[in-house]
Amino acid sequence: MSTASLTIDLDALTTNWRMLDSVSSDRVETGAAVKANGYGLGLGPVAKALVSAGVRRFFVAVAEEGAELRRAIGPDPEISVFSGHMQGDTDLLAQHGLTPMINSADQLVRQFETLPGQPFGVQLDSGMNRLGMEPAEWDSLRDITMSQEPTLLMSHLACADEPGHPMNYRQLQTFRGMTDGLPVRRSLAATGGILLGPEYHFDVTRPGVGLYGGMPFEEARPVVQIDLPIIQTREVDTGEAAGYGNTWTATRPSIIATLAAGYADGIHRLLGPKTKLYAGEVACPIVGRISMDLITADITDLDGYVPDSLSLLNSAQTVDILADNADTIGYEILTSLGQRYARRYGALT
């Protein structure tokens, strides 16, 4: 094939969910965040696999994602929408049985006026200063909100991937101060929060990146493999260059492979200088600049063997290694994956 292949191991995904679910007590419900097209891996297949594993509560970013998810998984699981009840969302929320996580007084009024009696949750700002009601606003609206019986109160941790960061405990205390004693389920922990310990779990957890094989869940099984087909190979003499800008020059007689993928496929240009491609266990460094559709790699150390493809993302070079090489995070690597990949759902090789 002339396009790169993206293999997604749904069994590994559900195994990761079960492991994160086991961290909490039996009284805690473990949901799943599947926003951004299931973190780039395909919303429908990802969500259906998680439903089969036991997930009954999903979280998405916007109502349009929620509508797509509802079509994929049917009427029963709860789908919470982080952006709340935006202007123009009313019909989508009603038609697809979505639960908006209300973020402001304006959204609260919109919910009560247009969808009275329909399920909703509330997002509270415990210190991240991003989404949700701040403590003073919540104090003024708490009684009227609780009279309408919200299904969930939630907040989000800013520094959960840094276990020793003082912000974690500060937010925990703020969230408790805003919600203790209220007769409603609570949620504070995504993947990082789950790993901080039981006091962060409350009633519902909502793992995201850990399901897909990313840090800070160190025990996660790899979920994704990317294999890039070799289009052409050539011999390059000492002193010759490869790629745009002559940024790499051969220091020995080399065999250079040109592969069918590039930054249009979400393979960031910054990956080039530090990243390798793999033929089995043999690492072949990327040489020259990553361009829109092509990557060049030095396969000299394969001693004349030319495979059909080289692997970019695998058990040896994880999503977080790639993220470090590009000075970013695993979330961005996954959600940047382009549309040209030949996607396959099955076991990784």
Side-chain angles (χ1 to χ4, degrees):
M1 295 179 64
S2 60
T3 55
S5 65
L6 177 63
T7 302
I8 300 158
D9 189 338
L10 296 176
D11 286 341
L13 174 88
T14 55
T15 295
N16 291 339
W17 180 81
R18 290 186 182 97
M19 286 194 290
L20 287 167
D21 178 52
S22 71
V23 174
S24 302
S25 71
D26 291 342
R27 71 166 187 81
V28 177
E29 179 184 4
T30 304
V34 293
K35 56 187 178 173
N37 191 31
Y39 282 59
L41 304 186
L43 178 61
V46 162
K48 289 176 182 177
L50 290 168
V51 167
S52 296
V55 178
R56 294 296 178 265
R57 187 190 295 258
F58 290 90
F59 295 86
V60 296
V62 295
E64 289 82 358
E65 290 180 337
E68 182 183 353
L69 176 59
R70 180 64 74 202
R71 288 189 288 267
I73 63 175
D76 293 333
E78 184 166 341
I79 301 173
S80 297
V81 180
F82 287 140
S83 61
H85 191 154
M86 298 286 288
Q87 186 76 35
D89 280 353
T90 304
D91 288 345
L92 276 177
L93 296 172
Q95 291 169 9
H96 298 282
L98 308 178
T99 303
M101 301 305 300
I102 301 300
N103 290 291
S104 66
D106 288 344
Q107 288 194 355
L108 195 67
V109 171
R110 187 176 299 125
Q111 178 73 16
F112 291 173
E113 289 182 347
T114 63
L115 294 176
Q118 296 301 303
F120 72 97
V122 178
Q123 192 159 184
L124 303 173
D125 179 15
S126 57
M128 193 174 185
N129 285 312
R130 196 175 63 170
L131 283 179
M133 297 185 192
E134 295 184 0
E137 183 179 23
W138 176 238
D139 283 344
S140 66
L141 296 172
R142 180 178 55 237
D143 291 345
I144 189 172
T145 301
M146 294 304 300
S147 73
Q148 301 300 310
E149 299 182 350
T151 62
L152 187 70
L153 302 179
M154 65 159 283
S155 191
H156 195 64
L157 295 167
C159 304
D161 56 346
E162 301 177 59
H165 201 293
M167 184 67 170
N168 294 320
Y169 186 72
R170 187 156 62 243
Q171 284 192 260
L172 174 64
Q173 293 301 102
T174 299
F175 185 60
R176 282 176 169 167
M178 297 173 79
T179 61
D180 276 356
L182 298 178
V184 60
R185 303 186 84 190
R186 295 182 286 179
S187 178
L188 181 62
T191 300
I194 292 171
L195 301 175
L196 289 177
E199 61 185 333
Y200 290 86
H201 295 171
F202 291 92
D203 305 293
V204 177
T205 62
R206 44 182 205 276
V209 72
L211 304 179
Y212 307 95
M215 295 292 284
F217 186 29
E218 295 180 356
E219 290 77 27
R221 283 181 53 184
V223 175
V224 186
Q225 181 172 314
I226 295 177
D227 297 297
L228 313 181
I230 293 176
I231 302 173
Q232 185 180 10
T233 61
R234 67 184 66 242
E235 296 181 359
V236 173
D237 291 334
T238 302
E240 288 191 285
Y244 284 120
N246 286 10
T247 59
W248 175 85
T249 302
T251 58
R252 62 175 179 173
S254 303
I255 305 296
I256 301 301
T258 300
L259 300 104
Y263 57 76
D265 303 288
I267 302 172
H268 299 271
R269 293 176 75 242
L270 289 176
L271 286 170
K274 299 179 181 179
T275 303
K276 299 174 176 60
L277 303 178
Y278 283 81
E281 296 181 355
V282 179
C284 304
I286 292 175
V287 296
R289 289 180 181 167
I290 294 172
S291 56
M292 182 182 291
D293 313 300
L294 300 170
I295 296 172
T296 46
D298 185 351
I299 63 169
T300 310
D301 291 338
L302 297 182
D303 297 327
Y305 168 61
V306 180
D308 292 331
S309 64
L310 298 176
S311 175
L312 170 68
L313 179 58
N314 51 34
S315 58
Q317 186 164 257
T318 66
V319 64
D320 289 290
I321 290 174
L322 290 182
D324 288 343
N325 291 352
D327 194 25
T328 184
I329 55 177
Y331 302 76
E332 186 175 7
I333 297 294
L334 289 173
T335 59
S336 295
L337 296 174
Q339 299 302 310
R340 289 193 297 198
Y341 292 100
R343 291 175 177 242
R344 182 181 74 86
Y345 293 90
L348 306 186
T349 58

